[in-house]
Amino acid sequence: MLLTGGMNVLGIFFCCCLLASSLATSPCCSNPCQNRGVCMTRGTDGYECDCTRTGYYGENCTTPEFLTWVKITLKPSPNTVHYILTHFKGLWNIINNISFLRDGIMRYVLTSRSHLIDSPPTYNSQYDYKNWEAYSNLSYYTRALPPVGESCPTPMGVKGKKELPSVKVVVEKLLLRRKFIPDPQGTNIMFAFFAQHFTHQFFKTDVKRGAAFTKALGHGVDLNHVYGEALDRQHKLRLKQNGKLKYQIIDGEMYPPLVKDTGVEMLYPPHVPEHLRFAVGQEVFGLVPGLMMYATIWLREHNRVCDILLQEHPEWDDEQLFQTARLILIGETIKIVIEDYVQHLSGYHFKLKFDPELLFNQRFQYQNRIAAEFNTLYHWHPLLPDTFQISDREYNYQQFLYNNSVMLEHGLSQMVESFTKQQAGRVAGGRNFPAAVFRVAMASIEQSREMRYQSLNEYRKRFNLNPFRTFEELTGEKELSAELEELYGDVDAVEFYTGLLVEKPRPGAIFGETMVEIGAPFSLKGLMGNPICSPEYWKPSTFGGTVGFDIINTASLQKLICNNVKDCPITSFNIFKSKTATSVSINGSSNSALEDVNPTLLLKEHSSEL
């Protein structure tokens, strides 16, 4: 009996020792391995840094190899590069007109950015080490950095307070708008809605499973927001004649079909009448008229392209016409995103170019996985104004949400013209999040904490940026930095999403350095990693011959609008600055375009948060 009792005591003692050992702080919590070195524990209190192919060596991967030292010594800082690209307009005008120089610079932009993204993917939110599940399970978002260990002494590893500040307090003190701060680059609402509609095809968090999971079957630009994710939805949206999508004609113009005529599920509240329940590829696009506007434009473009293909290939059946038109629209989308959208957000005088052949002789993989950090980073709700102005009408959020009658009342031409004229907000710098989407700001931070993201400074180091040394260096001013310090205690403990929104903007820009230097690699890798950009796909025959190939290679935002919107309203992603007019000809129709347009940015409003 005594022996049994002694065994029980020993067993309890042994279990407690195991429990204490499992809860012991991992030495990797302090992120000792620098320059993308991988930390691996050795026992309960030891670690080893794997510096393989980092260009560094030493216990913590901090000593540069000779060639690495030369590279980092000669390489200008990202802010210096940005300054050069956004100044010296006359020099860039010359370079833009010299093909081999422009191609060489564009090739460098693509390769230098895309090589910062791990391919194949390395981590997901379930594991802080590489494993087969993280690679093969497509239901997870991938991760640029592993999650902070659950046994670490603080939420950011070893830095900062034992508990993170209240989400509500963070939003109220640091993010919530006091007064609308316009974007100094002149970004407009046309841009904001494009960003929102474009990203809804690959940012589709599965809220039932958690923030780590995506409902998207693909991890890139596949236009499922036009055609539907699943085949069942796609077939319900298809007309099954000449490759076209279903539609209805209202006042002589093409609009999406109704839910009752397709059987497609859409997310509409009960008060929306049947005749305003439009059915499109993305189930949440009934949320705001700006999304349904773009959905209607792409519906018209698909059917327009089908008419062109049918004329070129009368021998083709419905399936081949549909599939080829989809590939053409994917190509159009990528070209518009790079040459209009990314060009605008960059503010560069260097003219970006969509040319897949630039990468054919480079080390490049034509595949992509959407990263959780990219999804979080793209929550650009400060872009949104306090009200929406269309023609002579002003709509508040309550009047605007789930109101497709706005599109029918004003028509696409008035919407495009009005959204082009209305200014969007600045994203960086803090305190510009609209009160109307307060809960979305809270959800963004709550999901970030669920994902156990590492700190803003750890992500800066991962993307070759120097960590901020002080709060004032991060914010560029005193009042906000004092609030930030009170909440987080240590600049190395500032959360990823919060830090992105309070970071000081680049001079005259919509974003801070971190947003651009982390977002651009994810964006360009996702665009150029598309299968249609590969040598096997990028040829005229893929797109129905020269006619289809030309549609892609001449695509632009303005041309998309002119081909599908009555009266071809002049549009851009920025507010026009000058009243000087210049003639623009799109498909033989002449229009007046305004000069001296000032470039910039993007947005995204995640469907799971609304």
Side-chain angles (χ1 to χ4, degrees), residues 231 234-235 238-244 302 306 309 315-327:
L231 272 177
Q234 178 198 118
H235 285 294
R238 287 174 60 177
L239 187 62
K240 299 299 180 68
Q241 292 178 9
N242 300 332
K244 292 186 176 184
H302 175 89
C306 284
L309 289 174
E315 75 281 8
W316 281 7
D317 62 11
D318 170 73
E319 186 69 16
Q320 189 165 4
L321 289 166
F322 169 82
Q323 297 294 350
T324 305
R326 180 173 185 167
L327 292 177

Side-chain angles (χ1 to χ4, degrees), residues 382-394:
L383 281 170
L384 295 173
D386 293 322
T387 60
F388 300 91
Q389 187 80 33
I390 304 177
S391 193
D392 57 350
R393 288 281 304 277
E394 186 175 44

Side-chain angles (χ1 to χ4, degrees), residues 246-283:
K246 289 179 181 176
Y247 62 92
Q248 59 174 320
I249 299 297
I250 302 175
D251 294 332
E253 294 193 71
M254 183 184 296
Y255 288 95
L258 298 176
V259 169
K260 70 180 182 66
D261 296 327
T262 59
V264 168
E265 290 187 12
M266 294 287 293
L267 298 179
Y268 287 109
H271 72 267
V272 177
E274 191 176 75
H275 75 281
L276 293 177
R277 293 174 177 254
F278 296 136
V280 296
Q282 227 303 351
E283 64 271 16

Side-chain angles (χ1 to χ4, degrees), residues 85 92-93 95-97 101-103 105-107 109 335 338-340 342-343 346-354 358:
L85 288 166
W92 288 113
N93 285 342
I95 291 173
N96 289 333
N97 287 297
L101 283 179
R102 184 185 175 200
D103 287 352
I105 294 172
M106 190 65 205
R107 185 181 295 110
V109 168
K335 184 173 173 66
I338 289 178
E339 295 192 4
D340 285 304
V342 177
Q343 180 76 57
S346 73
Y348 294 166
H349 292 311
F350 171 67
K351 194 173 181 182
L352 300 177
K353 182 180 182 182
F354 172 52
L358 295 175

Side-chain angles (χ1 to χ4, degrees), residues 287-305:
L287 176 69
V288 284
L291 293 177
M292 194 57 71
M293 174 193 74
Y294 273 113
T296 303
I297 290 169
W298 285 111
L299 164 69
R300 294 177 181 182
E301 177 66 2
H302 175 89
N303 287 351
R304 186 187 77 86
V305 169

Side-chain angles (χ1 to χ4, degrees), residues 54-57 62-74:
T54 62
Y56 292 82
Y57 62 94
T62 53
T63 306
E65 297 169 358
F66 176 72
L67 289 178
T68 302
W69 176 83
V70 171
K71 181 180 176 181
I72 60 177
T73 301
L74 297 177

Side-chain angles (χ1 to χ4, degrees), residues 20 191 207 233-235 293 301 309 316 318 329 355 417 420 487 489 493 509 604:
F191 178 92
V207 291
R233 187 180 187 91
Q234 178 198 118
H235 285 294
M293 174 193 74
E301 177 66 2
L309 289 174
W316 281 7
D318 170 73
L329 263 66
D355 182 0
E417 185 177 342
T420 300
L487 291 174
K604 123 90 180 111

